Amino acid sequence: MVRVRFAPSPTGYLHIGSARTFIFNWLFARRQKGTMILRIDDTDIERNTEESLNSIYDGLKWLELGWDEFYRQSDRLELHRAMAWKIFGKDMAYRDFTPAQTEAVKQDGVPWLFNPGMREMSREESGRRAAAGEPFVLRFRVPRDIVTDVKFHDQVYGEQSKSAADIEDFALLRSNGMPTYHMASCADDADLRITHIVRGQDHLSNTYKHILIFAALEAGLPAFAHLPLLIAPDGSKLSKRKHGPVVSVTTYRDAGFVPHGYVNFLCLLGWSPKDNREQMSRQELVDAFSFEGVNRPNAVVNFTEADPIDPKALWLNAQHLRTMPIEDLAPRVRATLQAAGITPPDYGEPWFRSTVDAVRSRLSTLNEFTTRGRAYFAGDYEITAEAKAKLDVDNARELLRGLAERLAATPEFTEASVEALLRAYAAEAGVKAGLLINGARAALTGQTVGPGVFHVFTAVGRERTIERLRRV
RNA sequence: GGCGCUAUCGUCUAAGGGUUAGGACGAAGCCCUCUCAAGGCUUAAAUACGGGUUCGAAUCCCGUUAGCGCUACCA
């Protein structure tokens, strides 16, 4: 039974790289009919905030993927400590009383491996100083007498190996008694019987330490799959300070992405189904996902200062917007309109759906229903300069007002009837139908672009059409 | 500095010894058309560099360069 976990630390918003890690874990879990675990790695009490936890939680919920089990490391500290002392009990860890280094005292060419005098300290002295209340860090005693290589097979990066002589004596417990990330993570992974650790490539070199911990714990070794990182166009790591809103999933939510559109985009960063498919449903992604399809190089999120949205993300979202089932899209559009303070006319659900359907191929985000698609749902819409120009052609305004009266004179109001009426009226007035067609679109929607104009008439509806044409 | 990872169009990627190096986004052009999208067609655009191995290298090996990650109580 496959068990995977996504383990964010609540020190900020949900980063898009983290979101992708979550998605890949989820995909793998679903593909293998396994269990997806959300675990909050909150052992750094200095930096954790409840606000951050909520924002991560919100971000994950927005993805609409879900999880099966939930844990918080802060609820499990006793387990972590017990496991750390178990390692100490086997003499595979020792107390280090060296005060924390405030400044990096790196000596060039001489890698730090452990502090002098601590590894070799007798159990008696170590116990005495601890009993006297002297603060200490519990460190893992990396084997150094025999030169051994720590090895593992990564499902993405292949065979990995590092000499134990190059691994420093890392901390298990901080001087404040809190477990470090390495300790807590491995203790939980062992206890929760995680079978596959799927995480960012920034943990690739930490894996050697984790393998030593798993061995000391006599726990079975999980499989590892490291994921390439998401980076900025200049090759640097994505950071909020440097790159702003592009790094947070809330940006895409607030920009009007449909969750699956963004999930689909993230999947294509560092992974490929290898058959040229790009727009894929959730089920197609689950069916196609494997670590073999994950690439090794880091993937660039393509954005600029002027536009924080990757053009491909926008395109993919547009694809989903115009192909997703209308019954799935319609409520999302309603919610977006409502959030923008727009109450659409009460013409019934069939009207709403067909109107959404008519405009969606021209839009890329949900938000655009409140801007470029506004005139169909709201009375207050702007008239663009181009639209104004269409209305100012010859005697267009006068003719459109005349058209309003013709429409008012007959109860029939279908695409066909309006078209017949308009064309007859144009012929009568001796003008090209295009004059009225373009003018009507401008008057009814405030824009020169949009669906076929006769559909626009029925989408706007008889009453609103007559009213809008009269006041042109 | 040490250790590790990586390198195909601007970006995401396919091709894992033999291809005119394929697709997508973005860009440009054409078709369609009441406008704009959508859709269809077309064009420009890549194997970082240098050595090997081989009849043959984007693909395997070595080196260089560049980028990234980890590196003393952050995750």
Side-chain angles (χ1 to χ4, degrees):
Chain A
M1 183 64 166
V2 162
R3 290 170 63 80
V4 297
R5 87 301 196 276
F6 171 65
S9 63
T11 55
Y13 46 83
L14 181 64
H15 188 283
I16 57 176
S18 301
R20 192 194 55 161
T21 300
F22 174 85
I23 293 165
F24 283 16
N25 269 284
W26 187 91
L27 253 19
F28 182 68
R30 290 296 169 263
R31 175 93 181 99
Q32 302 295 326
K33 307 230 181 297
T35 304
M36 174 75 205
I37 296 166
L38 173 62
R39 189 181 76 206
I40 306 298
D41 279 11
D42 54 352
T43 56
D44 184 359
I45 51 178
E46 313 272 308
R47 298 200 306 156
N48 295 332
T49 67
E50 203 64 19
E51 185 193 0
S52 162
L53 179 62
N54 290 333
S55 121
I56 287 173
Y57 206 65
D58 287 348
L60 291 177
K61 281 193 289 190
W62 179 69
L63 298 176
E64 297 179 351
L65 297 177
W67 50 86
D68 306 310
E69 295 177 19
F70 174 82
Y71 303 92
R72 264 181 98 144
Q73 284 196 323
S74 52
D75 294 334
R76 305 165 57 83
L77 295 174
E78 289 318 309
L79 173 78
H80 309 147
R81 291 188 184 115
M83 287 196 175
W85 288 111
K86 180 182 166 193
I87 295 173
F88 176 79
K90 296 165 84 173
D91 206 31
M92 296 172 85
Y94 61 91
R95 295 190 187 93
D96 181 348
F97 297 94
T98 312
Q101 303 284 348
T102 47
E103 282 174 45
V105 281
K106 285 181 195 169
Q107 295 167 285
D108 284 354
V110 188
W112 178 90
L113 291 174
F114 49 85
N115 288 319
M118 297 296 162
R119 243 179 102 95
E120 313 79 13
M121 187 182 292
S122 70
R123 291 302 275 239
E124 291 69 32
E125 186 186 350
S126 173
R128 201 182 320 119
R129 288 173 68 169
E134 194 176 334
F136 61 87
V137 169
L138 193 70
R139 278 189 198 287
F140 192 90
R141 189 192 302 277
V142 176
R144 305 199 182 278
D145 22 334
I146 35 162
V147 181
T148 48
D149 284 348
V150 182
K151 296 176 181 168
F152 68 98
H153 175 82
D154 189 90
Q155 310 259 309
V156 171
Y157 288 92
E159 296 308 316
Q160 303 293 317
S161 152
K162 182 172 185 166
S163 169
D166 290 322
I167 303 172
E168 74 280 2
D169 285 0
F170 51 95
L172 263 20
L173 251 32
R174 301 186 179 94
S175 54
N176 65 4
M178 291 293 283
T180 61
Y181 160 74
H182 302 302
M183 185 65 242
S185 180
C186 292
D188 277 332
D189 288 338
D191 185 65
L192 297 173
R193 304 233 163 269
I194 301 300
T195 59
H196 294 71
I197 295 182
V198 184
R199 75 227 304 190
Q201 189 244 50
D202 47 343
H203 286 296
L204 193 61
S205 14
N206 285 330
T207 305
Y208 301 103
K209 298 172 191 168
H210 299 171
I211 286 171
L212 293 174
I213 297 179
F214 282 118
L217 255 22
E218 294 173 72
L221 193 64
F224 292 93
H226 287 88
L227 271 16
L229 268 19
L230 262 31
I231 56 175
D234 66 358
S236 68
K237 193 173 158 179
L238 286 173
S239 79
K240 187 178 190 178
R241 263 191 54 183
K242 202 172 163 194
H243 304 110
V246 285
V247 296
S248 174
V249 293
T250 56
T251 299
Y252 305 89
R253 179 195 65 194
D254 298 343
F257 274 71
V258 287
H260 182 67
Y262 196 64
V263 167
N264 193 168
F265 168 69
L266 248 20
C267 286
L268 263 18
L269 253 24
W271 173 82
S272 151
K274 299 195 184 291
D275 56 10
N276 283 344
R277 277 184 297 168
E278 304 216 291
Q279 186 192 351
M280 296 174 77
S281 70
R282 182 185 296 180
Q283 191 56 47
E284 286 172 326
L285 288 169
V286 168
D287 292 340
F289 187 79
S290 79
F291 293 124
E292 279 187 19
V294 177
N295 298 314
R296 286 182 278 268
N298 292 340
V300 172
V301 180
N302 197 10
F303 63 90
T304 62
E305 277 183 46
D307 185 2
I309 309 280
D310 189 314
K312 193 149 191 174
L314 204 59
W315 170 80
L316 209 42
N317 195 62
Q319 293 296 314
H320 285 286
L321 210 60
R322 55 179 161 258
T323 56
M324 66 197 286
I326 197 75
E327 59 272 21
D328 183 7
L329 177 60
R332 296 176 189 276
V333 174
R334 273 200 194 279
T336 306
L337 292 172
Q338 190 180 14
I342 297 172
T343 309
D346 189 15
Y347 294 168
E349 188 62 18
W351 165 81
F352 187 76
R353 288 186 181 185
S354 84
T355 303
V356 166
D357 196 33
V359 290
R360 64 168 163 172
S361 80
R362 268 151 276 258
L363 307 177
S364 296
T365 65
L366 291 170
N367 288 8
E368 287 176 344
F369 281 93
T370 72
T371 55
R372 296 171 58 200
R374 189 180 187 92
Y376 301 92
F377 307 107
D380 60 321
Y381 53 93
E382 284 184 21
I383 299 186
T384 66
E386 295 78 29
K388 221 164 247 150
K390 291 284 182 197
L391 293 171
D392 289 333
V393 173
D394 301 334
N395 57 341
R397 286 175 194 273
E398 188 190 322
L399 289 169
L400 289 170
R401 284 194 290 267
L403 180 62
E405 299 318 317
R406 296 266 176 133
L407 289 168
T410 167
E412 205 187 352
F413 197 82
T414 63
E415 284 189 43
S417 78
V418 172
E419 175 161 12
L421 189 147
L422 181 144
R423 290 195 188 278
Y425 179 57
E428 229 175 89
V431 297
K432 282 193 288 187
L435 181 75
L436 292 178
I437 284 172
N438 291 324
R441 182 182 291 104
L444 296 179
T445 68
Q447 295 174 34
T448 55
V449 304
V453 80
F454 301 108
H455 190 94
V456 170
F457 276 98
T458 58
V460 171
R462 185 168 179 270
E463 274 177 62
R464 293 194 299 171
T465 294
I466 293 168
E467 179 211 322
R468 288 178 189 186
L469 290 179
R470 273 179 176 162
R471 59 155 205 251
V472 88

